Amino acid sequence: ASPAVVGTAPSLGKCLSSAGHAMAEEAQRIIDGFVRQMVAGRELPAISPGSRSMTTTFVQLDKEITTLFLGRSGASRKSLALENIEEVAVGSKAPEGVQHLRLDDLCVTLNYGEAAIAFRFRDVEERDTFALCLGMFADKCRGASDEEDEDEEEEEEEED
């Protein structure tokens, strides 16, 4: 019995690594689709604290994936640097300090500085893709910003 177990162990390892590879390819496909859709821009139901109801908001990412633009299609837009997003909350629970938002399980709330905005999605998969991708990009932008701050601090120390 031992040779059979030993003989199957490498096959299981190959199977797991190919499954992991397939999962990574699927994740990359989802991220690429999200980026294409968000760079082109899309309309989403949105609500801000103090608003009485959802309004359709045009949401778009820049090509560098560093800024989210918010506004009504054809109107002036607000830019939100992804590095300023402090929290991406999923579902009906608002981020700490954010009040007066009518949220449900299909919402994603972005908390940035002293402001917040929530978007509502058609289904859980769409909601989760938005939350995970935007959270990942915001974390990356904050990391790049932190590295720039450290470089500036080192340069100032060298000058002293």
Side-chain angles (χ1 to χ4, degrees), residues 79 90 102 147:
S79 64
V90 176
R102 297 172 137 184
E147 288 174 16

Side-chain angles (χ1 to χ4, degrees), residues 36-83:
R36 272 192 305 279
Q37 182 182 46
M38 293 302 296
V39 167
R42 64 183 291 198
E43 290 187 339
L44 290 172
I47 190 166
S48 298
S51 298
R52 292 179 184 229
S53 62
M54 293 267 178
T55 59
T56 301
T57 301
F58 188 73
V59 183
Q60 185 176 29
L61 273 173
D62 67 332
K63 290 179 183 173
E64 292 78 28
I65 312 174
T66 59
T67 305
L68 188 67
F69 296 102
L70 308 169
R72 293 203 173 106
S73 189
S76 63
R77 299 185 308 165
K78 176 180 182 171
S79 64
L80 169 60
L82 296 185
E83 68 186 55

